[in-house]
Amino acid sequence: HTHTPTHTPGPSSVIHTQRKQAVVLNGFKMAATFPAQAHAVRRLVASSQQLVVLTGAGISTDSGIPDYRSPGRPPHKPTNHSEFMRNERARHRYWARSMIGYPVISKATPNAAHAMLAAFEQQTGRLHRIVTQNVDDLHQRAGSARVTCLHGTMNVVRCMECTARYSREVIQGSLESLNASLAAEAHRRFQLQSVRPDGDMDLDADLLSGFRAPMCFECGGVLKPAVVFFGDNCEPPIAENSFRAVDECDALLVVGTSLTVYSAFRLVRRALARLGPSRVAVLNRGPTRADQEVDEGLRINDAIVPNLRFVLQPL
C-alpha cells in the first residue's frame, strides 16, 4: 500500500482553476468553462441586496458601437469643452463628424448584456442602480429604470445661451438639410470602425470646407450635445447621485470599462474605501485602471456577455 500525498493548491493556482458549470444559454443547457474568478463574482452578486453596476463602452460593443480603447482601435483625441465653446471651427468639426456618426449610434439596439441587467433589476429587486459612462441610452431602452448617466445623453442637444433643449433627431435633420452634399459624400467614404461611442468620428479635412453648423432656433445661440466633453465636469446633481448610489450599495460590479476616465475611477475608489476589496468586482476585456486595487480573485478579464450571464444567475 502506497500513500499518495495530497496537494493543497496555493492561492494563485486556485484563482486560475477552470471549473465546468452547466449554464442555460438562450433556453438550452450547455456546459461552459468559467474561471474561478467568475464563480467568486457570482457569489458576491448572490450575496448582495443593494448591487450597483458601473458600465462603460465595452458593454455596448455587441450592439455594434465600437469602443474607445480595445486593441487595434486608433488613438482618439476627444472633443475638448473649452475649445468647442470658444472656437467656431472646432464646433464645425464636431458637428460635421457627428452628423455622419450619429445615425450609426442611434440605430443601435440593446444587446444581451443590457437585457440581462434590466431583467435582473426587474426580477430580483436587488439592483440598486446602474451608473453608466455611456451616452447611448441603451440601458434605458432595454428596460432598466434605475440608471444614472454620468456623462449625459447624446440624444438631447441644448443651447448654451438660452437653455432651450432639442431632440438630437431634430438637429440631425437640420444638419443634413444645411449640408446635403457633404452628407452624401461623407456617407460614400464612410467606415463603421471610425465611429466612436459618442457618435464622433474622423472626417477628411476637405469635407469640412463650407460646412454649416446648426444654431438655436430660439435665440441663434451655440448648440452643444448634452454630453460631458473632455475637460468638462459631470453636472453636480449627476455626480452627487452617483456618489449616493455607491454610498448606499453593498457591492459594486464594474462592467465593460477600463476606468481611464476619473469620474468613473473615483467611484471604484470610493467603494473600495467604504466596503473593502472583497465587495468590488471587475468584468472587462483588457486591463483597467483599478487592477492594482481590486482583489485579483474578483477580476474577470474576458468576454462580457457569457460571463455577465453566469455571474447574474442565482447560486
Side-chain angles (χ1 to χ4, degrees):
H1 175 72
T2 58
H3 174 68
T4 306
T6 56
H7 170 63
T8 305
S12 61
S13 59
V14 169
I15 283 170
H16 299 290
T17 300
Q18 301 284 316
R19 303 184 189 173
K20 281 211 177 292
Q21 178 82 25
V23 294
V24 177
L25 296 171
N26 300 323
F28 295 95
K29 201 168 187 182
M30 57 185 289
T33 305
F34 289 92
Q37 291 98 322
H39 289 263
V41 174
R42 186 180 178 194
R43 288 191 295 273
L44 172 64
V45 170
S47 73
S48 171
Q49 297 301 312
Q50 294 275 85
L51 179 69
V52 166
V53 179
L54 172 62
T55 70
I59 203 169
S60 292
T61 53
D62 280 358
S63 294
I65 301 177
D67 63 6
Y68 289 109
R69 297 178 182 89
S70 281
R73 290 286 287 152
H76 165 49
K77 186 187 176 200
T79 302
N80 181 282
H81 177 81
S82 59
E83 187 185 4
F84 180 93
M85 292 306 300
R86 69 169 184 261
N87 185 326
E88 184 182 48
R89 183 165 175 77
R91 292 196 293 275
H92 283 192
R93 188 167 62 240
Y94 172 81
W95 281 116
R97 297 176 345 181
S98 182
M99 176 179 70
I100 308 306
Y102 172 75
V104 176
I105 312 300
S106 66
K107 290 188 182 87
T109 56
N111 64 53
H114 300 109
M116 284 185 269
L117 287 172
F120 184 82
E121 176 187 332
Q122 293 157 11
Q123 293 168 13
T124 71
R126 296 190 292 112
L127 181 56
H128 184 53
R129 184 153 291 276
I130 294 171
V131 178
T132 185
Q133 300 168 78
N134 300 340
V135 296
D136 53 32
D137 290 355
L138 291 180
H139 282 301
Q140 298 93 313
R141 287 168 56 195
S144 290
R146 303 174 67 84
V147 182
T148 296
C149 297
L150 208 51
H151 298 150
T153 171
M154 58 176 242
N155 292 314
V156 173
V157 175
R158 58 188 176 207
C159 175
M160 301 305 286
E161 288 162 50
C162 78
T163 69
R165 292 166 72 88
Y166 303 97
S167 153
R168 180 65 177 79
E169 292 290 344
V170 168
I171 300 304
Q172 185 68 15
S174 176
L175 280 163
E176 291 181 359
S177 63
L178 287 169
N179 304 282
S181 59
L182 183 151
E185 176 60 16
H187 280 298
R188 191 181 70 76
R189 303 185 200 177
F190 170 77
Q191 290 195 317
L192 172 65
Q193 62 270 26
S194 62
V195 180
R196 288 185 274 270
D198 56 2
D200 194 6
M201 63 176 294
D202 293 321
L203 273 189
D204 299 331
D206 65 293
L207 291 175
L208 292 173
S209 61
F211 178 80
R212 296 172 65 195
M215 308 299 281
C216 176
F217 303 141
E218 301 287 330
C219 75
V222 169
L223 292 180
K224 176 184 173 292
V227 300
V228 177
F229 281 162
F230 187 76
D232 196 7
N233 294 317
C234 297
E235 293 186 15
I238 300 293
E240 286 160 19
N241 184 296
S242 69
F243 289 148
R244 187 163 58 250
V246 169
D247 290 345
E248 291 169 352
C249 78
D250 61 8
L252 176 69
L253 174 61
V254 177
V255 181
T257 171
S258 61
L259 298 169
T260 303
V261 178
Y262 184 69
S263 56
F265 180 52
R266 68 182 176 184
L267 296 178
V268 176
R269 284 202 149 161
R270 192 177 182 103
L272 285 166
R274 193 175 73 81
L275 300 171
S278 66
R279 304 297 296 174
V280 177
V282 174
L283 165 55
N284 188 57
R285 177 163 280 206
T288 81
R289 190 175 177 180
D291 284 353
Q292 300 309 308
E293 302 179 43
V294 173
D295 187 326
E296 185 186 359
L298 291 170
R299 283 198 336 254
I300 308 170
N301 181 352
D302 201 358
I304 286 170
V305 168
N307 282 280
L308 185 62
R309 180 181 281 117
F310 179 69
V311 302
L312 292 180
Q313 285 189 350
L315 292 175

